[in-house]
């Protein structure tokens, strides 16, 4: 196993809140899959969770060599662990290249942060 890339992103909660308040439905539908929207809107304050997911998508993009759409990568929570999920074509490419993405999310009063580590499993010869 080897680390292929590391990506991080930080989002200011106040900035994301302003964008969401200006265009609530359009912002959500453009950036988040239905399960993310449902999870975040169930929180008393959805903004920290939305910001963490936004940061996760940006952090993964920093690991990936090609441009991606906002809805091609999303966060699901299994137990207490956040996990990245991928649209079918991206998932197939990750599997073909023996790649696994590890995700860590955090947020506090003013910021949300995500870190993604992209790891190659096995002995594939891809760069």
């Amino acid at each position: 196993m080897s680390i292929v890339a590391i990506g991080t992103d930080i989002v200011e909660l106040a900035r994301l809140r302003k964008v969401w308040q200006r265009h609530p439905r359009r912002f959500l539908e453009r950036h988040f899959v239905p399960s993310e929207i449902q999870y975040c809107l169930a929180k008393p304050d959805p903004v920290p969770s939305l910001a963490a997911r936004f940061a996760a998508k940006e952090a993964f993009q920093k690991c990936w060599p090609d441009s991606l759409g906002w809805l091609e990568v999303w966060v699901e929570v299994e137990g207490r662990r956040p996990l990245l999920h991928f649209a079918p074509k991206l998932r197939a490419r990750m599997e073909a290249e023996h790649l696994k993405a590890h995700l860590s999310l955090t947020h506090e009063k003013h910021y949300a942060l995500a870190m993604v580590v992209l790891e190659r499993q096995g002995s594939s010869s891809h760069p």
Side-chain angles (χ1 to χ4, degrees), residues 5-120:
I6 298 172
T8 61
D9 194 67
I10 188 167
V11 174
E12 183 181 10
L13 299 185
R15 186 173 144 253
L16 187 126
R17 188 180 306 277
K18 286 179 189 175
V19 172
W20 181 38
Q21 288 172 341
R22 276 196 308 260
H23 307 286
R25 185 174 177 178
R26 185 173 74 184
F27 173 74
L28 292 177
E29 290 175 354
R30 182 176 287 171
H31 295 94
F32 304 99
V33 300
S35 61
E36 288 178 304
I37 295 169
Q38 181 180 6
Y39 177 87
C40 295
L41 293 183
K43 303 285 184 183
D45 180 5
V47 171
S49 294
L50 289 169
R53 280 150 184 77
F54 193 93
K57 294 165 189 262
E58 287 284 327
F60 181 80
Q61 180 63 75
K62 291 173 182 174
C63 292
W64 198 248
D66 306 317
S67 293
L68 297 170
W70 289 105
L71 304 180
E72 291 183 77
V73 178
W74 64 93
V75 177
E76 298 282 346
V77 177
E78 293 183 15
R80 295 192 61 209
R81 286 183 52 210
L83 299 173
L84 286 174
H85 288 258
F86 306 99
K89 283 185 181 180
L90 181 55
R91 184 176 57 243
R93 185 166 166 197
M94 296 264 303
E95 290 171 1
E97 296 184 24
H98 307 284
L99 296 172
K100 181 176 181 176
H102 303 275
L103 173 65
S104 181
L105 300 176
T106 190
H107 52 77
E108 52 86 40
K109 188 174 181 179
H110 299 291
Y111 298 97
L113 179 124
M115 179 176 192
V116 172
V117 175
L118 195 58
E119 172 188 42
R120 177 157 291 114

